[in-house]
Amino acid sequence: MEERSRHPYYPRDNPDMTVYWDGVRRGELLYQVCNACAEVIFHPRVLCPYCLSDALRYERSAGHGNVYSFTIQHYATSPAWRWKKTRTPSG
């Protein structure tokens, strides 16, 4: 990714995600399909989680669908809140 990937709020680039993020930069949503078992896979992976095959290909989404759920990630923006990020029930 570009320089901005050093910022903690941007996703980190890694070889397994390069094709996906290249598609995002072009305005495309890509997902994987396993050539061995035909399962659809998202988020990008090296192996199919259903059959463990490495024969995966990328397909482009048609651009429409339904959102069934989502999450919001919260980050500590102030040093005063960082303790909450690492605190566990046992300590």
Side-chain angles (χ1 to χ4, degrees), residues 1 6-7 9 11 13 26 31 38-39 44 56-57 60 63-64 68 76 82-83 91:
M1 290 183 97
R6 293 183 185 174
H7 194 283
Y9 302 149
D13 203 8
R26 292 188 307 269
Y31 60 92
E39 290 287 344
L56 304 174
R57 70 180 187 277
R60 184 174 25 180
H64 55 85
Y68 291 99
R82 291 204 178 124
W83 69 271

Side-chain angles (χ1 to χ4, degrees), residues 4-59:
R4 67 181 188 173
S5 66
R6 293 183 185 174
H7 194 283
Y9 302 149
Y10 289 104
R12 289 183 173 83
D13 203 8
N14 67 58
D16 302 335
M17 301 284 287
T18 301
V19 174
Y20 173 78
W21 287 113
D22 287 347
V24 169
R25 287 183 194 101
R26 292 188 307 269
E28 300 172 344
L29 175 60
L30 302 177
Y31 60 92
Q32 290 176 306
V33 177
C34 179
N35 290 328
C37 70
E39 290 287 344
V40 173
I41 302 159
F42 188 82
H43 65 294
R45 302 168 191 233
V46 177
L47 298 174
C48 173
Y50 302 99
C51 72
L52 301 180
S53 170
D54 64 350
L56 304 174
R57 70 180 187 277
Y58 280 90
E59 296 285 332

Side-chain angles (χ1 to χ4, degrees), residues 74-85:
H74 295 277
Y75 294 94
T77 56
S78 165
W81 295 103
R82 291 204 178 124
W83 69 271
K84 289 188 174 199
K85 191 172 166 183

